[in-house]
Amino acid sequence: MTRRKISLFVLGGIFVLLTLLAADVLLVIFAGILFGVLLSGGGGLIARFTGLGRGWSIGAFILLVLLAFGGAFTAFAPAAAEQFDELTRQLPEAFSNLRDRIATFSWGDQLLSRLAPSRLLSGEGGGMAATAVTSTFGALGNAVIILFIGLYGAINPRALPRRVAGAAGPFAAPARRGGDG
């Protein structure tokens, strides 16, 4: 077996292990690449119509998207605030009704004692709170990684495949005549 075939086999094995053990990493990378394609395409449209350079066009596209989100937020914020006020007014009553219904069952008192808010920060409930915090920070971290991959891929699209190929080393090297691969 040649050195090139062994290198490709090892790379394939690493990819399969990564897929099985950490599929979310591949999904985050893929989402970053898709975000880069979105930014690059939007920046390309702006560059075509305005004649701006690639970097400025991508920046203008990001600014337009942020302005669109800001405008949508401004347009929908009053209605959302009104609905949130209504929710905060009706939610305690709904919880009280639910608690009363659960209490009518024989197993209801035991369930209600386990779901008491005072137990949330106790030993067994602390795990749930810690899980909520770590998953929130994990999602924020993933968003930052997606943002960086997308921006890097949009601003310098030719460098990303070169960097990946450079990191792959002998895997990406073409076969040479007379060599071992």
Side-chain angles (χ1 to χ4, degrees), residues 24-77:
D24 54 339
V25 173
L26 293 175
L27 291 174
V28 167
I29 292 170
F30 183 66
I33 292 169
L34 288 179
F35 186 62
V37 168
L38 172 75
L39 293 178
S40 181
L45 283 173
I46 291 176
R48 189 176 317 136
F49 290 118
T50 63
L52 290 173
R54 179 173 185 79
W56 288 106
S57 298
I58 291 171
F61 179 72
I62 292 171
L63 183 64
L64 285 174
V65 168
L66 289 176
L67 287 173
F69 278 130
F73 179 77
T74 303
F76 297 124

Short mmCIF file of all heavy atoms in Angstrom, two decimals, residues 24-77:
data_model
loop_
_atom_site.label_atom_id
_atom_site.label_comp_id
_atom_site.label_asym_id
_atom_site.label_seq_id
_atom_site.Cartn_x
_atom_site.Cartn_y
_atom_site.Cartn_z
N ASP A 24 -21.56 17.47 16.00
CA ASP A 24 -21.93 18.88 16.11
C ASP A 24 -20.82 19.81 15.66
O ASP A 24 -21.08 20.90 15.16
CB ASP A 24 -22.36 19.21 17.54
CG ASP A 24 -21.33 18.82 18.58
OD1 ASP A 24 -20.47 17.97 18.29
OD2 ASP A 24 -21.38 19.38 19.69
N VAL A 25 -19.56 19.36 15.77
CA VAL A 25 -18.44 20.19 15.30
C VAL A 25 -18.52 20.34 13.79
O VAL A 25 -18.36 21.44 13.25
CB VAL A 25 -17.09 19.56 15.72
CG1 VAL A 25 -15.92 20.30 15.09
CG2 VAL A 25 -16.97 19.55 17.23
N LEU A 26 -18.78 19.24 13.10
CA LEU A 26 -18.91 19.31 11.64
C LEU A 26 -20.09 20.18 11.23
O LEU A 26 -20.01 20.93 10.25
CB LEU A 26 -19.05 17.91 11.05
CG LEU A 26 -17.83 17.01 11.17
CD1 LEU A 26 -18.15 15.61 10.66
CD2 LEU A 26 -16.67 17.60 10.42
N LEU A 27 -21.18 20.11 11.98
CA LEU A 27 -22.34 20.94 11.65
C LEU A 27 -22.05 22.43 11.87
O LEU A 27 -22.50 23.26 11.09
CB LEU A 27 -23.55 20.50 12.48
CG LEU A 27 -24.12 19.13 12.13
CD1 LEU A 27 -25.22 18.75 13.11
CD2 LEU A 27 -24.63 19.10 10.71
N VAL A 28 -21.29 22.75 12.90
CA VAL A 28 -20.93 24.15 13.14
C VAL A 28 -20.02 24.65 12.01
O VAL A 28 -20.20 25.77 11.51
CB VAL A 28 -20.25 24.31 14.52
CG1 VAL A 28 -19.60 25.66 14.67
CG2 VAL A 28 -21.26 24.10 15.63
N ILE A 29 -19.08 23.84 11.60
CA ILE A 29 -18.20 24.23 10.49
C ILE A 29 -19.01 24.40 9.21
O ILE A 29 -18.83 25.38 8.47
CB ILE A 29 -17.07 23.19 10.31
CG1 ILE A 29 -16.13 23.24 11.52
CG2 ILE A 29 -16.30 23.43 9.01
CD1 ILE A 29 -15.13 22.11 11.56
N PHE A 30 -19.91 23.48 8.95
CA PHE A 30 -20.76 23.57 7.76
C PHE A 30 -21.63 24.82 7.81
O PHE A 30 -21.80 25.52 6.80
CB PHE A 30 -21.62 22.31 7.62
CG PHE A 30 -22.47 22.29 6.40
CD1 PHE A 30 -21.90 22.22 5.13
CD2 PHE A 30 -23.85 22.33 6.50
CE1 PHE A 30 -22.68 22.19 4.00
CE2 PHE A 30 -24.65 22.30 5.37
CZ PHE A 30 -24.06 22.23 4.12
N ALA A 31 -22.20 25.13 8.98
CA ALA A 31 -23.01 26.35 9.12
C ALA A 31 -22.16 27.59 8.87
O ALA A 31 -22.63 28.56 8.26
CB ALA A 31 -23.64 26.40 10.52
N GLY A 32 -20.92 27.58 9.33
CA GLY A 32 -20.02 28.71 9.07
C GLY A 32 -19.74 28.87 7.58
O GLY A 32 -19.71 30.00 7.07
N ILE A 33 -19.56 27.75 6.89
CA ILE A 33 -19.32 27.82 5.45
C ILE A 33 -20.56 28.36 4.73
O ILE A 33 -20.46 29.20 3.84
CB ILE A 33 -18.91 26.43 4.91
CG1 ILE A 33 -17.52 26.07 5.45
CG2 ILE A 33 -18.92 26.40 3.39
CD1 ILE A 33 -17.11 24.63 5.20
N LEU A 34 -21.74 27.90 5.15
CA LEU A 34 -22.97 28.41 4.54
C LEU A 34 -23.15 29.91 4.82
O LEU A 34 -23.60 30.66 3.95
CB LEU A 34 -24.19 27.64 5.06
CG LEU A 34 -24.36 26.22 4.55
CD1 LEU A 34 -25.59 25.58 5.18
CD2 LEU A 34 -24.45 26.18 3.04
N PHE A 35 -22.81 30.33 6.03
CA PHE A 35 -22.89 31.76 6.36
C PHE A 35 -21.92 32.55 5.48
O PHE A 35 -22.26 33.64 5.00
CB PHE A 35 -22.59 31.96 7.85
CG PHE A 35 -22.78 33.36 8.32
CD1 PHE A 35 -24.01 33.98 8.26
CD2 PHE A 35 -21.70 34.07 8.83
CE1 PHE A 35 -24.18 35.28 8.71
CE2 PHE A 35 -21.86 35.37 9.28
CZ PHE A 35 -23.10 35.97 9.22
N GLY A 36 -20.74 32.00 5.24
CA GLY A 36 -19.78 32.65 4.35
C GLY A 36 -20.30 32.76 2.93
O GLY A 36 -20.10 33.78 2.26
N VAL A 37 -20.97 31.72 2.46
CA VAL A 37 -21.55 31.76 1.11
C VAL A 37 -22.63 32.84 1.03
O VAL A 37 -22.71 33.58 0.05
CB VAL A 37 -22.12 30.37 0.73
CG1 VAL A 37 -22.96 30.43 -0.52
CG2 VAL A 37 -20.98 29.37 0.56
N LEU A 38 -23.45 32.94 2.09
CA LEU A 38 -24.47 33.99 2.12
C LEU A 38 -23.84 35.37 2.07
O LEU A 38 -24.25 36.22 1.28
CB LEU A 38 -25.32 33.85 3.40
CG LEU A 38 -26.30 35.00 3.66
CD1 LEU A 38 -27.50 34.88 2.73
CD2 LEU A 38 -26.74 35.02 5.11
N LEU A 39 -22.84 35.60 2.90
CA LEU A 39 -22.17 36.91 2.91
C LEU A 39 -21.48 37.20 1.58
O LEU A 39 -21.53 38.32 1.07
CB LEU A 39 -21.17 36.99 4.06
CG LEU A 39 -21.73 36.97 5.47
CD1 LEU A 39 -20.61 37.00 6.49
CD2 LEU A 39 -22.69 38.12 5.69
N SER A 40 -20.84 36.19 1.04
CA SER A 40 -20.14 36.38 -0.23
C SER A 40 -21.12 36.67 -1.37
O SER A 40 -20.87 37.56 -2.19
CB SER A 40 -19.32 35.12 -0.55
OG SER A 40 -18.61 35.28 -1.74
N GLY A 41 -22.23 35.95 -1.40
CA GLY A 41 -23.23 36.19 -2.44
C GLY A 41 -23.86 37.57 -2.32
O GLY A 41 -24.01 38.28 -3.33
N GLY A 42 -24.22 37.96 -1.11
CA GLY A 42 -24.80 39.30 -0.92
C GLY A 42 -23.80 40.39 -1.22
O GLY A 42 -24.13 41.40 -1.86
N GLY A 43 -22.56 40.19 -0.79
CA GLY A 43 -21.52 41.17 -1.10
C GLY A 43 -21.24 41.24 -2.59
O GLY A 43 -20.98 42.31 -3.14
N GLY A 44 -21.31 40.09 -3.27
CA GLY A 44 -21.11 40.06 -4.72
C GLY A 44 -22.19 40.84 -5.46
O GLY A 44 -21.90 41.55 -6.44
N LEU A 45 -23.42 40.72 -5.01
CA LEU A 45 -24.51 41.49 -5.63
C LEU A 45 -24.29 42.99 -5.45
O LEU A 45 -24.46 43.77 -6.40
CB LEU A 45 -25.85 41.10 -5.02
CG LEU A 45 -26.46 39.79 -5.49
CD1 LEU A 45 -27.70 39.46 -4.68
CD2 LEU A 45 -26.79 39.88 -6.97
N ILE A 46 -23.90 43.38 -4.26
CA ILE A 46 -23.66 44.81 -4.02
C ILE A 46 -22.48 45.29 -4.83
O ILE A 46 -22.50 46.39 -5.40
CB ILE A 46 -23.48 45.07 -2.51
CG1 ILE A 46 -24.81 44.85 -1.80
CG2 ILE A 46 -22.95 46.47 -2.25
CD1 ILE A 46 -24.74 44.96 -0.30
N ALA A 47 -21.42 44.48 -4.93
CA ALA A 47 -20.25 44.87 -5.72
C ALA A 47 -20.62 45.01 -7.20
O ALA A 47 -20.12 45.92 -7.88
CB ALA A 47 -19.14 43.83 -5.55
N ARG A 48 -21.47 44.14 -7.69
CA ARG A 48 -21.86 44.20 -9.09
C ARG A 48 -22.63 45.48 -9.40
O ARG A 48 -22.44 46.10 -10.45
CB ARG A 48 -22.71 42.98 -9.45
CG ARG A 48 -22.96 42.86 -10.93
CD ARG A 48 -23.72 41.59 -11.31
NE ARG A 48 -23.23 40.41 -10.60
CZ ARG A 48 -24.03 39.50 -10.05
NH1 ARG A 48 -25.34 39.63 -10.13
NH2 ARG A 48 -23.53 38.46 -9.43
N PHE A 49 -23.51 45.90 -8.49
CA PHE A 49 -24.35 47.07 -8.75
C PHE A 49 -23.68 48.38 -8.38
O PHE A 49 -24.03 49.42 -8.93
CB PHE A 49 -25.69 46.95 -8.01
CG PHE A 49 -26.58 45.90 -8.59
CD1 PHE A 49 -26.97 44.82 -7.81
CD2 PHE A 49 -27.02 45.97 -9.90
CE1 PHE A 49 -27.79 43.84 -8.35
CE2 PHE A 49 -27.84 45.00 -10.43
CZ PHE A 49 -28.23 43.92 -9.66
N THR A 50 -22.74 48.37 -7.44
CA THR A 50 -22.15 49.63 -6.98
C THR A 50 -20.71 49.82 -7.44
O THR A 50 -20.23 50.94 -7.42
CB THR A 50 -22.18 49.71 -5.44
OG1 THR A 50 -21.37 48.67 -4.90
CG2 THR A 50 -23.60 49.64 -4.92
N GLY A 51 -20.01 48.76 -7.77
CA GLY A 51 -18.62 48.88 -8.16
C GLY A 51 -17.67 48.94 -6.96
O GLY A 51 -16.48 49.21 -7.14
N LEU A 52 -18.18 48.72 -5.77
CA LEU A 52 -17.32 48.70 -4.58
C LEU A 52 -16.43 47.46 -4.59
O LEU A 52 -16.72 46.48 -5.28
CB LEU A 52 -18.17 48.68 -3.30
CG LEU A 52 -18.94 49.94 -2.94
CD1 LEU A 52 -19.85 49.67 -1.76
CD2 LEU A 52 -17.97 51.06 -2.60
N GLY A 53 -15.37 47.50 -3.80
CA GLY A 53 -14.50 46.34 -3.66
C GLY A 53 -15.19 45.24 -2.88
O GLY A 53 -16.23 45.45 -2.24
N ARG A 54 -14.59 44.07 -2.90
CA ARG A 54 -15.20 42.90 -2.27
C ARG A 54 -15.43 43.11 -0.77
O ARG A 54 -16.50 42.84 -0.25
CB ARG A 54 -14.31 41.68 -2.51
CG ARG A 54 -14.83 40.44 -1.88
CD ARG A 54 -14.01 39.22 -2.30
NE ARG A 54 -14.58 38.04 -1.78
CZ ARG A 54 -15.65 37.42 -2.28
NH1 ARG A 54 -16.21 37.90 -3.36
NH2 ARG A 54 -16.14 36.35 -1.73
N GLY A 55 -14.41 43.55 -0.05
CA GLY A 55 -14.53 43.74 1.40
C GLY A 55 -15.57 44.78 1.76
O GLY A 55 -16.38 44.58 2.67
N TRP A 56 -15.57 45.91 1.05
CA TRP A 56 -16.55 46.97 1.31
C TRP A 56 -17.97 46.49 0.99
O TRP A 56 -18.92 46.85 1.68
CB TRP A 56 -16.22 48.22 0.51
CG TRP A 56 -15.01 48.93 1.05
CD1 TRP A 56 -13.77 48.96 0.49
CD2 TRP A 56 -14.95 49.70 2.25
NE1 TRP A 56 -12.93 49.70 1.27
CE2 TRP A 56 -13.62 50.17 2.36
CE3 TRP A 56 -15.86 50.04 3.23
CZ2 TRP A 56 -13.20 50.97 3.41
CZ3 TRP A 56 -15.44 50.82 4.29
CH2 TRP A 56 -14.14 51.28 4.37
N SER A 57 -18.10 45.70 -0.06
CA SER A 57 -19.42 45.19 -0.43
C SER A 57 -19.96 44.23 0.62
O SER A 57 -21.15 44.26 0.96
CB SER A 57 -19.36 44.48 -1.79
OG SER A 57 -18.97 45.38 -2.79
N ILE A 58 -19.10 43.38 1.14
CA ILE A 58 -19.53 42.46 2.20
C ILE A 58 -19.91 43.26 3.45
O ILE A 58 -20.92 42.98 4.10
CB ILE A 58 -18.44 41.42 2.49
CG1 ILE A 58 -18.30 40.47 1.30
CG2 ILE A 58 -18.74 40.63 3.77
CD1 ILE A 58 -17.13 39.53 1.37
N GLY A 59 -19.12 44.27 3.78
CA GLY A 59 -19.46 45.14 4.91
C GLY A 59 -20.78 45.85 4.71
O GLY A 59 -21.59 45.96 5.64
N ALA A 60 -21.02 46.33 3.48
CA ALA A 60 -22.29 47.00 3.18
C ALA A 60 -23.45 46.02 3.28
O ALA A 60 -24.53 46.36 3.78
CB ALA A 60 -22.24 47.62 1.79
N PHE A 61 -23.24 44.77 2.83
CA PHE A 61 -24.30 43.76 2.93
C PHE A 61 -24.62 43.45 4.39
O PHE A 61 -25.80 43.36 4.77
CB PHE A 61 -23.88 42.48 2.19
CG PHE A 61 -24.90 41.39 2.28
CD1 PHE A 61 -26.08 41.47 1.58
CD2 PHE A 61 -24.66 40.27 3.07
CE1 PHE A 61 -27.04 40.46 1.67
CE2 PHE A 61 -25.59 39.26 3.16
CZ PHE A 61 -26.78 39.35 2.46
N ILE A 62 -23.59 43.31 5.22
CA ILE A 62 -23.81 43.06 6.64
C ILE A 62 -24.57 44.23 7.26
O ILE A 62 -25.50 44.03 8.04
CB ILE A 62 -22.46 42.82 7.36
CG1 ILE A 62 -21.86 41.49 6.91
CG2 ILE A 62 -22.63 42.83 8.88
CD1 ILE A 62 -20.44 41.25 7.40
N LEU A 63 -24.18 45.46 6.90
CA LEU A 63 -24.87 46.64 7.42
C LEU A 63 -26.34 46.66 6.98
O LEU A 63 -27.23 46.95 7.78
CB LEU A 63 -24.16 47.92 6.96
CG LEU A 63 -24.73 49.23 7.48
CD1 LEU A 63 -24.58 49.30 8.99
CD2 LEU A 63 -24.04 50.39 6.81
N LEU A 64 -26.61 46.32 5.73
CA LEU A 64 -28.00 46.27 5.25
C LEU A 64 -28.81 45.21 5.98
O LEU A 64 -29.97 45.45 6.33
CB LEU A 64 -28.03 46.02 3.74
CG LEU A 64 -27.66 47.19 2.85
CD1 LEU A 64 -27.58 46.75 1.39
CD2 LEU A 64 -28.65 48.31 3.02
N VAL A 65 -28.20 44.06 6.22
CA VAL A 65 -28.91 43.00 6.95
C VAL A 65 -29.20 43.44 8.38
O VAL A 65 -30.31 43.25 8.89
CB VAL A 65 -28.10 41.68 6.92
CG1 VAL A 65 -28.65 40.66 7.90
CG2 VAL A 65 -28.08 41.10 5.52
N LEU A 66 -28.22 44.07 9.03
CA LEU A 66 -28.42 44.56 10.39
C LEU A 66 -29.50 45.64 10.43
O LEU A 66 -30.34 45.67 11.34
CB LEU A 66 -27.12 45.08 10.99
CG LEU A 66 -26.07 44.02 11.32
CD1 LEU A 66 -24.79 44.68 11.80
CD2 LEU A 66 -26.60 43.04 12.35
N LEU A 67 -29.49 46.53 9.44
CA LEU A 67 -30.54 47.56 9.37
C LEU A 67 -31.92 46.94 9.14
O LEU A 67 -32.91 47.40 9.72
CB LEU A 67 -30.21 48.57 8.28
CG LEU A 67 -29.08 49.54 8.58
CD1 LEU A 67 -28.75 50.38 7.34
CD2 LEU A 67 -29.44 50.43 9.76
N ALA A 68 -31.98 45.90 8.31
CA ALA A 68 -33.26 45.23 8.07
C ALA A 68 -33.77 44.56 9.35
O ALA A 68 -34.96 44.66 9.67
CB ALA A 68 -33.11 44.19 6.95
N PHE A 69 -32.88 43.89 10.08
CA PHE A 69 -33.28 43.28 11.35
C PHE A 69 -33.70 44.35 12.35
O PHE A 69 -34.67 44.17 13.09
CB PHE A 69 -32.17 42.41 11.93
CG PHE A 69 -32.10 41.03 11.35
CD1 PHE A 69 -30.91 40.53 10.87
CD2 PHE A 69 -33.24 40.23 11.28
CE1 PHE A 69 -30.84 39.25 10.35
CE2 PHE A 69 -33.18 38.96 10.75
CZ PHE A 69 -31.99 38.46 10.27
N GLY A 70 -32.96 45.45 12.39
CA GLY A 70 -33.32 46.55 13.29
C GLY A 70 -34.67 47.14 12.94
O GLY A 70 -35.48 47.43 13.83
N GLY A 71 -34.93 47.32 11.65
CA GLY A 71 -36.23 47.83 11.23
C GLY A 71 -37.35 46.87 11.55
O GLY A 71 -38.43 47.28 12.01
N ALA A 72 -37.13 45.59 11.33
CA ALA A 72 -38.15 44.60 11.66
C ALA A 72 -38.40 44.57 13.17
O ALA A 72 -39.55 44.48 13.62
CB ALA A 72 -37.73 43.22 11.16
N PHE A 73 -37.34 44.67 13.95
CA PHE A 73 -37.49 44.69 15.41
C PHE A 73 -38.28 45.92 15.85
O PHE A 73 -39.17 45.82 16.69
CB PHE A 73 -36.12 44.67 16.09
CG PHE A 73 -36.19 44.72 17.58
CD1 PHE A 73 -36.52 43.60 18.30
CD2 PHE A 73 -35.92 45.90 18.26
CE1 PHE A 73 -36.60 43.63 19.69
CE2 PHE A 73 -36.00 45.96 19.64
CZ PHE A 73 -36.34 44.82 20.36
N THR A 74 -37.96 47.05 15.25
CA THR A 74 -38.67 48.29 15.59
C THR A 74 -40.15 48.19 15.20
O THR A 74 -41.02 48.67 15.92
CB THR A 74 -38.02 49.49 14.88
OG1 THR A 74 -36.64 49.54 15.26
CG2 THR A 74 -38.69 50.79 15.27
N ALA A 75 -40.43 47.56 14.07
CA ALA A 75 -41.81 47.45 13.61
C ALA A 75 -42.62 46.49 14.48
O ALA A 75 -43.80 46.73 14.75
CB ALA A 75 -41.85 46.99 12.17
N PHE A 76 -42.00 45.39 14.91
CA PHE A 76 -42.74 44.37 15.65
C PHE A 76 -42.61 44.49 17.16
O PHE A 76 -43.32 43.78 17.89
CB PHE A 76 -42.29 42.97 15.21
CG PHE A 76 -42.56 42.68 13.77
CD1 PHE A 76 -41.54 42.30 12.92
CD2 PHE A 76 -43.84 42.80 13.24
CE1 PHE A 76 -41.78 42.04 11.58
CE2 PHE A 76 -44.10 42.54 11.92
CZ PHE A 76 -43.07 42.15 11.08
N ALA A 77 -41.74 45.34 17.66
CA ALA A 77 -41.51 45.44 19.10
C ALA A 77 -42.75 45.86 19.88
O ALA A 77 -43.02 45.27 20.94
CB ALA A 77 -40.34 46.39 19.38
#
